[in-house]
Amino acid sequence: MKKLEIKNPGLKVIALALAILLWFYVGIEKNPFETRFFQVPVTYEHLDGEMSVNSPTKQVSITVRARSNQFDSLTAGDFTASVNLSKVKVGDNTVPVMVKSPNHVQVTKVSPREIVVTAERLDGKRLPVQVLETGQLPNGGKVKKYQAQPREVFIAGDPWLTKQVSKAVVQVNLADLYESTSLDCPVVLLDRNGQALNLPGVEVKPGTVRLVISLDDAVEEKAVPVVVTINGTAGEGYVLKSALAAPETVTIKGAASRLADIDQVATNPIDISGMQKDQQVSVGLNIPEGITVIEPDNIRVSLIFASREGTVSQKEVPVEISQLSPGLTGRLDQTTVKVKLVPKSNTTYLQASVDATGLGVGKHVVDVHVYSDDGSPVEEVSPQRLTLTIT
């Protein structure tokens, strides 16, 4: 059987148009357009803090056109009706209502299209926003500048109450600040004696301001020694003879006030529990908050172990300062160290000291040297380094 061919192009176009119309007709029959009504509350926008407005029209009626199935999940909360009050003046003002709706529906009518709002100027006064500091910046830093946004607030209320207000302040705890930042701070009202006020009926506009804080703290770099942190004990019959960091120093970067009190950087703890053989491990650094390491990110630590020859004992030994220049005094952050050794006799005498040769006024990280009078081998000194303050 031969297939019927339509050779007339005009008939083809008509057939296609009829098919499209039929498709639209079937779609409309199954999911037709409908019109419904919603009541939407009116909100006020951009009102001057010194003004108050009122209107008898609290909500508007909107007419919405959409497909039948689109109304299944549509509520009045999907629409907003607002009026822009940035240009209102004292007295009656007629302002248009702006309605926002979801993209898939059409608002065909808003009633009323305009509303009347009555504006009046509030009793009150403007005050500049002042900053009330508590605490101190870490490591003696300074605040370069405060910038409040907005710079002023309006105190609205009964004149008898507002006259008690002397200052509008935001409070900042400096101890929590390590870098320049911005904070959202509630406004606190103070009387002339600096006491906080709680005045029912008095409103602060706005009640919260954004405070931009710039710290006056130049960024500097500093080279400091790396101190290896060890946890645990070596395997049975062995002791850790040495733990050498490579590199021995790193360069850190941060605020000058933060760097002033940092004389060394410790590694993250290395657990040597059960270890007996010499090995190298890669470990990160325990960096103080607000400080960065320029390079490297990780430290290679060589762990050297030695066999234990005899019974290890531990003694707490006082540390002396040797070779201190005349006229200077020195103070260690720790006056004793713990020494593990294999004593050759019960009368072994230990001496611990730090060498201050050539050191001037300031803080210095110095090695602790321990000697025994009879050559007893020293296995471990803890800590291996101390901070020496010379004045």
Side-chain angles (χ1 to χ4, degrees):
M1 183 176 178
K2 289 186 178 181
K3 195 172 183 179
L4 179 63
E5 293 186 13
I6 301 177
K7 296 182 180 181
N8 190 329
L11 291 177
K12 290 183 178 180
V13 172
I14 293 173
L16 178 61
L18 289 174
I20 293 173
L21 289 174
L22 181 60
W23 182 81
F24 272 111
Y25 174 77
V26 171
I28 292 173
E29 282 293 314
K30 291 185 177 180
N31 188 24
F33 281 102
E34 292 185 7
T35 298
R36 296 189 186 179
F37 305 94
F38 294 95
Q39 298 294 319
V40 181
V42 178
T43 59
Y44 300 146
E45 294 183 351
H46 309 300
L47 178 63
D48 190 312
E50 297 184 24
M51 303 286 284
S52 173
V53 297
N54 192 20
S55 174
T57 307
K58 306 299 182 185
Q59 59 184 17
V60 293
S61 175
I62 62 173
T63 304
V64 179
R65 184 173 184 268
R67 294 283 189 181
S68 177
N69 63 352
Q70 292 174 333
F71 281 110
D72 294 342
S73 59
L74 204 61
T75 67
D78 296 314
F79 302 89
T80 60
S82 62
V83 290
N84 185 346
L85 302 181
S86 60
K87 297 182 179 180
V88 297
K89 299 180 180 180
V90 174
D92 291 340
N93 302 262
T94 300
V95 290
V97 179
M98 305 298 295
V99 175
K100 292 182 180 180
S101 63
N103 294 330
H104 59 277
V105 302
Q106 180 184 6
V107 177
T108 59
K109 184 179 180 182
V110 179
S111 180
R113 198 67 182 173
E114 298 178 330
I115 67 172
V116 176
V117 295
T118 302
E120 60 180 7
R121 192 164 297 279
L122 295 171
D123 290 327
K125 59 183 178 181
R126 282 195 170 274
L127 289 175
V129 177
Q130 300 182 42
V131 178
L132 181 62
E133 297 178 345
T134 59
Q136 294 183 342
L137 285 173
N139 303 304
K142 296 180 180 179
V143 176
K144 181 178 181 180
K145 182 176 65 174
Y146 291 113
Q147 184 177 358
Q149 301 171 347
R151 296 180 179 180
E152 294 182 330
V153 292
F154 185 72
I155 314 300
D158 189 305
W160 186 85
L161 293 175
T162 58
K163 72 178 182 180
Q164 300 179 46
V165 181
S166 178
K167 293 180 180 180
V169 302
V170 291
Q171 297 175 313
V172 177
N173 184 3
L174 298 181
D176 296 334
L177 302 180
Y178 289 92
E179 58 186 357
S180 298
T181 186
S182 60
L183 304 172
D184 291 323
C185 304
V187 178
V188 179
L189 302 181
L190 304 181
D191 63 17
R192 64 180 62 186
N193 297 318
Q195 299 299 313
L197 294 170
N198 182 16
L199 301 175
V202 173
E203 184 179 3
V204 182
K205 297 186 176 185
T208 301
V209 301
R210 170 61 62 92
L211 186 65
V212 180
I213 306 171
S214 301
L215 301 186
D216 187 9
D217 211 348
V219 175
E220 296 184 358
E221 297 178 2
K222 181 180 181 180
V224 293
V226 176
V227 177
V228 179
T229 304
I230 299 295
N231 281 351
T233 56
E236 184 176 357
Y238 285 83
V239 294
L240 179 65
K241 185 177 180 180
S242 63
L244 305 175
E248 296 181 352
T249 63
V250 293
T251 300
I252 58 177
K253 181 179 180 180
S257 59
R258 291 279 290 143
L259 293 181
D261 292 333
I262 300 177
D263 294 315
Q264 61 186 35
V265 174
T267 67
N268 292 328
I270 301 174
D271 187 1
I272 64 168
S273 298
M275 292 185 182
Q276 296 177 340
K277 296 182 179 181
D278 298 348
Q279 55 188 284
Q280 282 193 342
V281 296
S282 179
V283 64
L285 293 170
N286 184 13
I287 305 300
E289 186 176 0
I291 300 297
T292 57
V293 176
I294 296 180
E295 60 180 18
D297 293 332
N298 289 309
I299 301 296
R300 297 291 298 178
V301 177
S302 297
L303 301 174
I304 309 299
F305 295 88
S307 59
R308 189 189 303 273
E309 300 177 356
T311 304
V312 175
S313 66
Q314 177 172 294
K315 294 185 178 183
E316 189 163 352
V317 182
V319 182
E320 300 176 355
I321 302 172
S322 63
Q323 303 301 321
L324 188 64
S325 298
L328 299 179
T329 59
R331 186 181 73 255
L332 294 169
D333 63 336
Q334 188 169 318
T335 58
T336 62
V337 292
K338 293 180 179 179
V339 179
K340 289 184 179 180
L341 75 159
V342 181
K344 292 184 176 181
S345 69
N346 293 332
T347 60
T348 297
Y349 172 76
L350 294 176
Q351 181 181 9
S353 65
V354 296
D355 188 0
T357 301
L359 300 182
V361 174
K363 290 185 177 181
H364 310 274
V365 178
V366 291
D367 294 320
V368 179
H369 302 282
V370 179
Y371 307 93
S372 62
D373 63 341
D374 58 1
S376 296
V378 175
E379 302 288 354
E380 181 180 347
V381 179
S382 177
Q384 294 178 335
R385 289 179 173 179
L386 297 175
T387 299
L388 171 61
T389 302
I390 299 177
T391 56

